[in-house]
Amino acid sequence: MKKYLFLTVIVLACCSAGCAGTQKKELLFNGKDLSNWNFVVDGNSVPASEVYSVRDGAILIQGEPFGYMYTKKKYGDCTLELEWRWVGEATNSGIFLLIADPSNPFPNGIECQLHAGDAGDFVLLGGSNLLEYKQPDGEERPKFPVIRKRNASNEKPAGEWNRAKILVKDGQITVHINDQLQNVATNPVKEGYIGLQSEGKQIEFRNVTVTRE
């Protein structure tokens, strides 16, 4: 009897641990509204509602004017997962990570590029830095330095959903696009906001979640 009781306790403990792990996952988008987000529009030229909205359970970003939406909370060590697709033409957008300063129209932070054909590149925004970025001797630093992805593009055609999985651990950012490793680099900043960019034409996002480490 004691043996069975011991086994029962172990099983319950494992189940509780599993449930606790599940509870760490946070919905950044609830499928209904954008209440978890703040908004930036280039020059405040139009109301944010004209750029960022919800349609059929997905975030719809118009792409013009430039700008981005960003979380109301900062995140450190975590796994960010989301899906995106182009509504029509595959153009340009990005996922912003470890935003230190949400300035207008570009923050200080790291962009995981979603530009068609370049998904997985890192772009250094607003004077941010990655330890792996090497400035060529004698050359002026570009406005938006880039660390290229490691593998050939594996994005899906416009209209089909793509998946990004991004692990942030002690400032190191590891990006998988459609389950393929594309980039790894390290930011001196260990915590910041998460953002989704408006740049180009219409793009949709869904299933946006964060799992804290």
Side-chain angles (χ1 to χ4, degrees), residues 11 75 108:
V11 170
Y75 295 87
N108 178 296

Side-chain angles (χ1 to χ4, degrees), residues 93-107:
S93 186
I95 302 166
F96 293 169
L97 307 160
L98 297 174
I99 295 172
D101 176 21
S103 301
N104 186 332
F106 293 101

Side-chain angles (χ1 to χ4, degrees), residues 26-46:
E26 178 182 346
L27 284 173
L28 296 185
F29 171 55
N30 60 19
K32 299 177 181 178
D33 58 50
L34 302 178
S35 55
N36 290 333
W37 301 82
N38 292 319
F39 309 96
V40 171
V41 175
D42 187 9
N44 299 314
S45 55
V46 300

Side-chain angles (χ1 to χ4, degrees), residues 51 60-64 66 85-93 197-205:
V51 184
L60 174 63
I61 298 179
Q62 296 297 326
E64 293 181 354
F66 285 1
R85 71 176 178 183
W86 305 109
V87 176
E89 176 186 351
T91 59
N92 198 5
S93 186
Q197 189 184 31
S198 174
E199 184 182 15
K201 296 187 178 180
Q202 288 187 340
I203 186 172
E204 289 181 318
F205 294 91

